[in-house]
Amino acid sequence: MARSLKSSTKRLVVNADDFGFTRDVNQGIIEAHQRGILTATTLMANGDAFEDGVRLARENPGLDLGAHLVLIGGRMLSAPDAELPASIPKLLAAIATRRIHIYEELSAQVRRILATGIRLTHLDTHKHTHLAPPVLDGVARIAEEFGIPWVRRPFDLPLTAARGGAPWLKRATSDGLAVLRARFHRVLAKHHCRTTDHFAGFQITGRFWTEELVALIRELPEGSTELMCHPGRLTAELRSARTRLKESRERELVALTAPETRRALEESGVELVNYRALDLT
């Protein structure tokens, strides 16, 4: 099993995906860090607002930075003028026919971020594509080669606060991912990658308000947990972008900055940390 952090203390990393996607998404992530409980984010090297994200990262050194590795949507960095597959089925077809070289593309994305001087502490993937074995192999290899210690384990907690209201298919998908878990951890262990003990956020993506976030915090188990989130500001830029997460980003920003959320952490004995802090334990 991949090396995970075991502790008698509840520790929570609140990590935002999609940094670098649009400038208004970047703005919301920074607000959630400055005024709320957000401790980390992952940067899209092929995002339209990549340079804006780099600037904001430099202005906010307390925000932990990782790479949000992208194999679905947008331009390819390893092949000029080429586009990445537009969906998971198209990605799987491209992998099967060797029309995409996973390691080359993902390493190009990591190199672009590192070239800015940003130190990366963690990796995750857009649409959780590293659940696919060929993608996981590439991600784990990159983590080891570039000395990036943490990789997301996208297997949701069974006690997610909003699970009861999640669509049936999303709940079934979350439960079904358990069959991939054994190989997933074997691969990460082989490449000396670390994971948090728990993960939350898959089932409630685009669906949680302050009440659901507070309930989730109060139910967190012992050990370390990563909470995936997608805050943002909704302006014309995001409205015109190709994503289903639009109005929900504003709701998540409200939840992440609400006084009730901070109070729930204190009352539940949950320590708010980033990956750099976990490295010290």
Side-chain angles (χ1 to χ4, degrees):
M1 183 173 178
R3 195 157 51 107
S4 61
L5 183 76
K6 296 296 182 182
S7 169
S8 60
T9 303
K10 297 178 181 180
R11 292 188 171 93
L12 179 64
V13 176
V14 182
N15 184 43
D17 289 3
D18 299 343
F19 197 47
F21 182 56
T22 61
R23 287 171 297 175
D24 45 2
V25 166
N26 290 352
Q27 178 186 349
I29 289 171
I30 293 301
E31 287 186 46
H33 172 62
Q34 293 179 340
R35 300 193 293 108
I37 67 168
L38 190 84
T39 61
T41 189
T42 44
L43 180 60
M44 302 173 78
N46 73 337
D48 290 340
F50 172 78
E51 289 83 3
D52 181 63
V54 171
R55 176 185 64 81
L56 290 169
R58 289 171 176 159
E59 293 174 0
N60 293 272
L63 180 62
D64 220 5
L65 263 290
H68 194 54
L69 300 172
V70 181
L71 290 174
I72 296 175
R75 63 192 176 95
M76 194 177 291
L77 297 190
S78 59
D81 303 320
E83 293 290 316
L84 290 165
S87 65
I88 290 178
K90 289 182 178 180
L91 171 63
L92 296 177
I95 292 173
T97 57
R98 299 186 179 181
R99 287 183 284 114
I100 186 170
H101 301 285
I102 295 167
Y103 173 80
E104 287 75 7
E105 175 57 29
L106 298 186
S107 62
Q109 294 181 20
V110 168
R111 289 180 192 279
R112 187 184 188 202
I113 298 173
L114 293 177
T116 69
I118 287 174
R119 177 201 166 198
L120 295 175
T121 60
H122 57 293
L123 300 174
D124 55 46
T125 57
H126 190 50
K127 307 290 186 184
H128 302 309
T129 54
H130 66 304
L131 286 169
V135 180
L136 176 63
D137 292 342
V139 169
R141 177 184 169 187
I142 286 167
E144 183 174 27
E145 288 185 2
F146 289 93
I148 303 169
W150 296 88
V151 175
R152 173 180 288 169
R153 59 183 312 279
F155 304 107
D156 223 358
L157 285 167
L159 46 74
T160 301
R163 175 182 170 88
W168 176 87
L169 181 59
K170 195 153 195 176
R171 283 181 283 141
T173 300
S174 179
D175 294 342
L177 292 178
V179 302
L180 302 172
R181 192 172 306 189
R183 183 188 185 276
F184 185 94
H185 285 293
R186 283 198 304 271
V187 172
L188 293 190
K190 176 183 175 182
H191 291 277
H192 312 290
C193 301
R194 301 184 75 182
T195 70
T196 55
D197 299 317
H198 314 288
F199 171 78
F202 175 74
Q203 294 171 75
I204 61 173
T205 294
R207 298 184 51 260
F208 74 82
W209 300 71
T210 303
E211 182 180 358
E212 285 79 18
L213 181 55
V214 166
L216 173 62
I217 289 169
R218 295 190 185 282
E219 295 173 347
L220 286 176
E222 296 291 320
S224 60
T225 301
E226 177 196 350
L227 171 63
M228 174 185 70
C229 58
H230 300 80
R233 286 295 183 187
L234 182 58
T235 71
E237 188 175 0
L238 180 56
R239 287 189 186 279
S240 64
R242 296 187 62 181
T243 176
R244 70 179 179 86
L245 301 178
K246 295 185 178 180
E247 290 82 1
S248 65
R249 294 183 190 264
E250 292 264 10
R251 294 197 299 269
E252 291 196 17
L253 177 56
V254 170
L256 292 166
T257 57
E260 304 97 298
T261 302
R262 181 76 67 174
R263 189 159 53 247
L265 290 169
E266 296 170 356
E267 293 173 353
S268 302
V270 177
E271 181 184 0
L272 203 57
V273 297
N274 59 21
Y275 284 104
R276 281 175 285 180
L278 292 184
D279 276 336
L280 300 177
T281 59

